[in-house]
Amino acid sequence: MIGLLTWRVVVSTGAALFFLFSIQHAAFSRPNHLLPAYQAAPAATGTPHPVKAGVLLRAALPVSAATSAPTPAYAATRPPGGLDAATTVPNLWQNATLGQIGAMADGSVQQSDRNQPNGVAGLDNAGTLTAPVTGDLTQATATSALPGTQKRSLAERFAETPSGKDFGLKLDGVTDDTPALQAAKAAMPSGSAIQLPAGKLRLGTALSGTKPTVWQINGATFPDGSPITALGTDVIESTLEGGKYFARGQSSADMAPLLRKDATITHTGGTTGFVMNLEKGNCTIPAEGAALNDYVWCHSTVLSSAAFGAGQHVAQASLAQRPANALADGIGSRSQIWAGYDETRDDTGQDSSVAGSLVGREIDVYSNGDDQLGWRIGLQVQIAGASSSGTPGKVGKGIALGNNDSTSTYGTMIDAAGRFDTAGIDLSGSTPVNNAPVLNIGANRNLAFAADKKPHLQFDSAAYTLRYWYDTANVFSIGSSGDITSTITNAGSGLGWTLAGQAQVGINLTGLSAPEAMRLGTGQKLSWEPTTSVSTAFSAGKLTDTMAAGIARTLDTQGNETLPGALQDSQTIVQLNQPTAAAFVAKGSAAIGLDTTGLSTPDALRLAEGQHIAWEVTDAVKTAYQNGLLQDSLSGAALRSLDTSGNETLKGSLLSSGLTTTLDNDSASAITLTGRAGIGLNLTGLATGNALRLGTGQSIAWEPTAVITTGYAATGLTDSNGGTALRQLDSGGNETLAGTITPTTGLHLPTFSRSQIKGRPGPAVGLVVYDADDDAPAVYTSAGWKLMVLSALP
């Protein structure tokens, strides 16, 4: 059959006409009822049949390549519903040929085609599609019952709410549903929500892939009935224990939060004092519902972590930020922003013993083991500038503890050791370790003692000195070496230094290795008793002793002493019991060392038997009376003697160059001293480096039997007992004891500062000293200086 040009016109009862044009090159899909008789039918002449409303018209125009005139068309009129065996042919069609009737039937709708494949849908009496309807309806359209909605295809509507069953999910508890979930996850865009209806989900393998997907679980469980709490790295939305449940079982790097809530506040006005919240939770505990064992936490955040590395894991965090451009509109100061706020109220007005306890916020940090790096922080308050490159900011208060009225008070501002109500800060219950300070405010910082901040302490790091200030005056200072400096500004109204109480010694300067034990200013005095009537003062070039405002004795700068009154009316007796010290010592320059010319007595000076007068500082040249002889001697050798009869004996001159004596008597001593003397052998006046020289192997005996001796041999200087070495000192200064050190008052280690200890050159291993800075002994080991651990005596 040659190509057939066909057009169809559908005329409906409405005002609109729809024209469908198509060019077909193949036979009709329905059986062709055109007969050869109709093909040869002559052209119709006359007026065509009128077209009635609701009638489908079809005209066929054969086109021949040999002729230019078209074949006459037949415009048939077809009844509604088409033709079938029961159809009565109207009179209008009684004269039509069979071919013409077939042509009309070819384009009609047959009753036998209703509800058949490739047929038509059945309609009820109202022209409405009857249900159920089978076949593919994805291209069908539907509208919502809401006003103003538009038609959309059902396929588009179904795609908006994807289900796992769209991808073959069985949920029968037997079939592996992993491939269906993987297919759904791969097909949907990132962040899509996919529904899992009720059923038993069986996963043969774990769900993989990191593309974010939210699974909305509506009653689905695992085959054993346990709830689904994790599907890989995806988020699940479900119910658990009767409440809404969001969870993610695994994580991947840089994942977004499991749940995020944002609220941008754009409105103005509203009720004064109304608080706009992103999220608010209310928990009401009525009296009839509360019991002793009820534990209700209105909000709980739990973080469990076994992670390693340098990351931070925070259970709960809040940030309140005023953006950098917040002031760009020039309106002015902004509203307050608080990073966090906690308020716990008790409106009963009763004591805590009646109303119950109240906790504003509790911070607990539990851990075992030492914190060597200081990484465990119970409470950290960090205050810093918003930008290190900008002007340093200033914070009004780092931590402010106060009251919002004038009647409430704190029992204790900061409790650091336990329960107390008498101190602002009490660290007496703490236990310092390794001499750690209980309070460290840092160098060059002040510790004030009054609201006006005038009295305060400060440690001057440059001078390494602790200073006590009153306003701008440095009243009192203690240096690193123990030197004390005091500035007194209370003239006439107080004492510079007052000691009260009981002590064996008021001020002990015996251990002070300084030429001046105490220094007084000109005109100042030293009182010897509480009434200050007995005092000593230096003024006008004289040191004056005063008794009840009267001068008792004066000593001028030339060494002249003046005693007012007669203090020698009878006699002055001085009794001495210290044989190693002189009874009277005179120093300085004077015309006469001892002047007795005014003394009316025949004995100007009296000496006892055996006593002598030394004529020079070395006590070598002396005169003594003993055994009836008045004898002058030089270095112990008699030079001249005068007996009681007036006989004088001279030994001659032995002062040519020196005195050398050679002895060859092995059984006698070189020099033997007998009797009693203050000093057995006095070499203090001998101007030589070697006061006494011994030969190698010789010793000094310390008692008559020569059992206890000291001598120098090849091993060094040795103290011996009966020939047994007790103590040895070698040339390196190392001392070796045969026994133990047993001091009666305890062992006193040499004391040094920390810097002195560390600065010792080449200390020997085992050296023990006392560290004054750490208040503990220190021993030098192969690994350097180590502090010894001390514990308190029970």
Side-chain angles (χ1 to χ4, degrees), residues 315-338:
Q316 187 173 2
S318 61
L319 171 66
Q321 181 177 5
R322 183 176 286 115
N325 61 350
L327 305 178
D329 53 16
I331 295 177
S333 179
R334 295 305 192 252
S335 304
Q336 297 181 11
I337 57 175
W338 295 13

Side-chain angles (χ1 to χ4, degrees), residues 272-526:
T272 302
F274 180 79
V275 178
M276 177 66 67
N277 297 305
L278 172 63
E279 181 182 6
K280 183 177 182 179
N282 290 326
C283 299
T284 302
I285 308 174
E288 63 270 15
L292 180 62
N293 294 326
D294 282 348
Y295 295 89
V296 179
W297 293 25
C298 196
H299 179 76
S300 177
T301 300
V302 178
L303 169 68
S304 297
S305 174
F308 64 91
Q312 290 183 344
H313 307 271
V314 181
Q316 187 173 2
S318 61
L319 171 66
Q321 181 177 5
R322 183 176 286 115
N325 61 350
L327 305 178
D329 53 16
I331 295 177
S333 179
R334 295 305 192 252
S335 304
Q336 297 181 11
I337 57 175
W338 295 13
Y341 174 76
D342 293 309
E343 179 176 346
T344 305
R345 299 177 62 93
D346 184 349
D347 295 329
T348 63
Q350 300 296 318
D351 291 344
S352 60
S353 60
V354 177
S357 63
L358 199 67
V359 179
R361 170 164 285 238
E362 177 179 344
I363 300 176
D364 294 333
V365 177
Y366 297 103
S367 62
N368 290 8
D370 291 339
D371 184 14
Q372 301 293 341
L373 301 178
W375 286 350
R376 298 172 187 157
I377 303 174
L379 174 63
Q380 175 173 321
V381 179
Q382 180 171 318
I383 300 173
S387 173
S388 58
S389 61
T391 302
K394 180 178 181 181
V395 177
K397 293 180 176 64
I399 299 178
L401 300 177
N403 305 308
N404 58 3
D405 57 46
S406 60
T407 59
S408 299
T409 59
Y410 284 100
T412 301
M413 293 294 287
I414 298 177
D415 188 340
R419 298 180 58 187
F420 55 88
D421 58 3
T422 59
I425 298 177
D426 189 348
L427 301 178
S428 61
S430 61
T431 303
V433 179
N434 296 331
N435 202 31
V438 295
L439 179 63
N440 191 342
I441 62 173
N444 304 314
R445 299 173 184 174
N446 299 335
L447 181 61
F449 297 96
D452 59 5
K453 304 178 184 62
K454 289 186 176 180
H456 61 273
L457 278 174
Q458 181 193 70
F459 181 76
D460 185 348
S461 62
Y464 224 73
T465 299
L466 180 64
R467 305 184 187 277
Y468 172 74
W469 296 79
Y470 185 83
D471 205 359
T472 59
N474 184 196
V475 179
F476 188 80
S477 298
I478 302 177
S480 59
S481 300
D483 48 302
I484 299 175
T485 303
S486 179
T487 302
I488 309 300
T489 58
N490 58 351
S493 62
L495 300 176
W497 191 281
T498 301
L499 296 179
Q502 297 181 358
Q504 292 182 348
V505 180
I507 298 178
N508 190 344
L509 304 178
T510 58
L512 184 64
S513 59
E516 295 178 78
M518 183 167 56
R519 177 179 291 187
L520 301 178
T522 301
Q524 294 178 339
K525 64 182 181 180
L526 181 63

Side-chain angles (χ1 to χ4, degrees), residues 222-302:
F222 287 121
D224 60 357
S226 60
I228 301 173
T229 58
L231 286 177
T233 60
D234 290 339
V235 175
I236 64 171
E237 176 185 351
S238 180
T239 58
L240 185 65
E241 299 176 351
K244 195 66 174 176
Y245 180 75
F246 290 88
R248 175 188 285 133
Q250 300 176 10
S251 65
S252 62
D254 303 327
M255 293 195 74
L258 178 66
L259 178 64
R260 172 172 170 168
K261 301 177 182 180
D262 292 338
T264 301
I265 312 303
T266 60
H267 70 274
T268 59
T271 305
T272 302
F274 180 79
V275 178
M276 177 66 67
N277 297 305
L278 172 63
E279 181 182 6
K280 183 177 182 179
N282 290 326
C283 299
T284 302
I285 308 174
E288 63 270 15
L292 180 62
N293 294 326
D294 282 348
Y295 295 89
V296 179
W297 293 25
C298 196
H299 179 76
S300 177
T301 300
V302 178

Side-chain angles (χ1 to χ4, degrees), residues 45-50:
T45 60
T47 306
H49 298 289

Side-chain angles (χ1 to χ4, degrees), residues 500-578:
Q502 297 181 358
Q504 292 182 348
V505 180
I507 298 178
N508 190 344
L509 304 178
T510 58
L512 184 64
S513 59
E516 295 178 78
M518 183 167 56
R519 177 179 291 187
L520 301 178
T522 301
Q524 294 178 339
K525 64 182 181 180
L526 181 63
S527 296
W528 298 105
E529 39 73 51
T531 63
T532 71
S533 60
V534 180
S535 62
T536 299
F538 183 81
S539 180
K542 294 181 180 180
L543 181 64
T544 302
D545 293 336
T546 303
M547 176 77 71
I551 297 176
R553 183 173 57 182
T554 300
L555 182 67
D556 63 17
T557 56
Q558 303 300 317
N560 299 311
E561 184 178 18
T562 302
L563 299 174
L567 299 182
Q568 299 90 358
D569 52 339
S570 59
Q571 61 180 344
T572 299
I573 299 176
V574 177
Q575 182 175 354
L576 300 178
N577 294 311
Q578 189 176 5

